[in-house]
Amino acid sequence: MAKQAIFEEHPEVARRFPDLHPPFEPQQAVVEANRCLNCFDAPCTAACPTHIDVPKFIKKIGSRNLRGAAVSILDANVLAESCSRVCPVEVLCEGSCVMHRYNKQPIEIGRLQRHAMSTFYDSGAQIPKRNSPARKEKIACIGAGPASLACAAELRQQGFNVTIFDKRPLPGGLNTYGVAEYKLRAADSLREAAAILELGVEYRNEEIADDAALAKLEQEFDIIFLGIGLGQMHKLGVAGDATGGVVDALEFIAGIKMGTTLTVGKNVIVVGAGNTAIDAAVAAVRLGASNVHIVYRRDEKSISAFDFEFEHAKQEGVKFVWQTLPVAVHSDGGNAKALECVTVQVDAAGKFTQVQGSNFQMACDMVIPAIGQSPLLDFLGKFRDLKVEKGRIVTDRATGATSIGKYFAGGDCINGGREVVDAVADGKRAALGIAAKLAGGK
Ligand code: SF4
């Protein structure tokens, strides 16, 4: 197995980005678990894209069988620790908890799952290996994010030979490099990815970026899984957007998580109002910026971040400037010094018009565009026969099969960028599809 890159958590990162939600103390977890009604046909399980048996694992926590709880969770979702930190539980499992019907607080499923998983990994435990006969077929997973890790884990558990390829030295994809550190520490993402590699999955720090590399892969492997995520973040597309101090949100967050971006200027402007924009804005506050603004072209009602993310940003001191569109970045000595904006109005058809004479400037040292990622068209263009619609790979929903027999796909490259748990579900579904195909469609 290839030697893994070493990651050391920067103490300053740990100091500035403490956990957003404190973990349960053991007794608290037992008390919370015993509030669960152990519903039959539990709606919380139905709401989870990976269908974790929520009442089952909660019952085990209630009887202090934490290992049993963790193993039960892992059976459904091999990235259960990261999902327990980053899942929008308010709109998934906890959002559908029956306690809402009785005007009671929903069971804190996310925190209970985290309690079980953290205790499991803290104890040095490893994912239990299934006793499957060895298979001769080889599968390559391109990309080392949640979809590929979930796909690789399931296939390996079924006895297949699996190799993950990624251009980055550390596995985990956005879990390691792109989620705000106060939600999920890079170190925890890596611990979870390492547990999957420990099943016997090989990791190669190699970029598969051209026809020659793909052709080589096709020679060596029976099936190729595309867990390639999305491409570059969109640029602002205004005059001056290549000046110093303009850094896209994912690059900014990755810099913090790897301990290389630990300073920001006084005035930071984030453009966009999705969850990644919120992560970047809050991170800028935590790094010491005095004025952090989010500039968004629509109004407050149209914000795309989840409500709890929006509230969190406001609590951290982020200010919002609505119905505002950047038109230029002005610089001084090669670094951003002001963002020129206009006020806009949007009509019922979604067309934006500039309010005449509304130009104004906002002082800044840093501008962080967080206006979405483009599809990986460069990469996808290498496949002449791959069916792609709106920049997303088209797959069979039940199996993850693409329009090319040897290729399967899952995660952001097929869904356009949803939650980690959706990518995990996609990866596992594709693994089952791959196994069925290799078994002759049975
Ligand atoms: Fe427990 Fe709520 Fe799920 Fe029912 S819906 S099993 S109460 S967590």
Side-chain angles (χ1 to χ4, degrees):
M1 189 179 296
K3 192 170 179 301
Q4 289 298 293
I6 304 292
F7 172 78
E8 280 180 32
E9 193 175 21
H10 198 292
E12 187 62 11
V13 176
R15 190 178 75 77
R16 291 203 182 254
F17 296 91
D19 254 334
L20 193 55
H21 301 294
F24 273 134
E25 294 297 329
Q27 188 54 29
Q28 275 182 305
V30 171
V31 171
E32 181 65 4
N34 283 318
R35 278 205 314 125
C36 174
L37 303 176
N38 294 305
C39 304
F40 181 70
D41 271 347
C44 48
T45 293
C48 171
T50 58
H51 302 306
I52 291 171
D53 190 335
V54 176
K56 183 176 174 187
F57 93 75
I58 289 184
K59 196 168 186 185
K60 288 181 190 293
I61 293 176
S63 60
R64 298 178 194 269
N65 176 4
L66 289 180
R67 181 182 163 81
V71 170
S72 164
I73 297 166
L74 283 167
D75 206 32
N77 182 337
V78 78
L79 275 94
E81 181 163 30
S82 52
C83 286
S84 75
R85 312 286 183 98
V86 303
C87 261
V89 288
E90 292 84 349
V91 295
L92 294 174
C93 53
E94 292 181 20
S96 33
C97 177
V98 296
M99 290 297 192
H100 288 288
R101 291 188 213 156
Y102 308 122
N103 285 326
K104 290 188 176 164
Q105 282 294 315
I107 305 298
E108 291 194 68
I109 302 167
R111 276 176 93 196
L112 286 170
Q113 182 170 316
R114 174 181 170 178
H115 179 65
M117 296 315 306
S118 301
T119 308
F120 181 80
Y121 286 125
D122 286 350
S123 73
Q126 291 294 331
I127 301 168
K129 291 183 185 169
R130 282 183 226 154
N131 196 12
S132 303
R135 301 286 305 256
K136 64 178 187 336
E137 294 95 337
K138 296 168 75 178
I139 296 102
C141 296
I142 307 181
S148 277
L149 287 170
C151 181
E154 178 60 31
L155 287 167
R156 185 64 202 137
Q157 289 281 36
Q158 294 199 27
F160 294 98
N161 301 290
V162 191
T163 305
I164 293 177
F165 292 82
D166 198 284
K167 62 183 175 187
R168 291 179 130 154
L170 300 168
L174 287 180
N175 275 2
T176 300
Y177 290 98
V179 175
E181 188 72 0
Y182 53 80
K183 292 183 193 163
L184 175 62
R185 298 184 320 149
D188 289 329
S189 165
L190 290 167
R191 175 169 78 168
E192 192 173 47
I196 291 170
L197 300 187
E198 196 57 41
L199 294 171
V201 173
E202 185 185 4
Y203 184 71
R204 290 194 209 163
N205 177 203
E206 282 176 34
E207 183 170 13
I208 307 297
D210 55 30
D211 286 340
L214 269 175
K216 203 162 147 245
L217 232 54
E218 287 183 2
Q219 290 281 316
E220 188 181 346
F221 293 91
D222 297 282
I223 297 284
I224 298 171
F225 173 78
L226 301 171
I228 52 179
L230 292 170
Q232 296 287 315
M233 290 209 83
H234 293 304
K235 297 207 177 303
L236 273 183
V238 302
D241 69 355
T243 196
V246 180
V247 183
D248 82 53
L250 286 179
E251 190 186 334
F252 176 63
I253 293 167
I256 295 168
K257 291 176 78 77
M258 295 299 116
T260 54
T261 304
L262 294 173
T263 54
V264 285
K266 194 166 153 234
N267 302 307
V268 175
I269 301 172
V270 178
V271 181
N275 296 317
T276 303
I278 301 276
D279 283 355
V282 171
V285 172
R286 299 268 180 113
L287 286 179
S290 340
N291 300 303
V292 179
H293 288 92
I294 282 186
V295 165
Y296 186 46
R297 62 186 175 153
R298 298 178 189 274
D299 61 14
E300 182 173 340
K301 294 194 293 293
S302 314
I303 185 169
S304 55
F306 291 121
D307 289 348
F308 55 88
E309 297 279 12
F310 180 32
E311 287 307 315
H312 174 223
K314 287 192 284 188
Q315 280 165 19
E316 294 266 352
V318 175
K319 298 183 183 68
F320 288 78
V321 187
W322 306 111
Q323 291 182 255
T324 297
L325 203 59
V327 290
V329 182
H330 298 285
S331 58
D332 184 12
N335 202 78
K337 70 161 189 181
L339 185 68
E340 183 174 344
C341 301
V342 293
T343 306
V344 288
Q345 287 177 335
V346 57
D347 63 21
K351 189 167 175 283
F352 289 91
T353 46
Q354 177 182 341
V355 176
Q356 285 300 319
S358 63
N359 292 55
F360 66 100
Q361 293 196 3
M362 298 173 68
C364 63
D365 315 289
M366 196 169 196
V367 180
I368 304 177
I371 47 179
Q373 289 171 266
S374 47
L376 261 172
L377 293 177
D378 279 359
F379 188 85
L380 300 180
K382 298 183 194 324
F383 299 91
R384 278 179 298 280
D385 302 323
L386 188 68
K387 192 167 176 203
V388 175
E389 278 174 7
K390 296 181 183 166
R392 301 175 192 182
I393 301 171
V394 176
T395 57
D396 178 282
R397 187 72 197 127
T399 64
T402 72
S403 53
I404 307 179
K406 205 178 175 83
Y407 286 83
F408 285 67
D412 287 355
C413 63
I414 70 165
N415 65 34
R418 294 180 65 183
E419 304 303 326
V420 171
V421 69
D422 294 300
V424 175
D426 280 350
K428 186 170 178 181
R429 200 179 294 120
L432 299 175
I434 291 167
K437 182 182 174 79
L438 291 173
K442 297 193 194 84

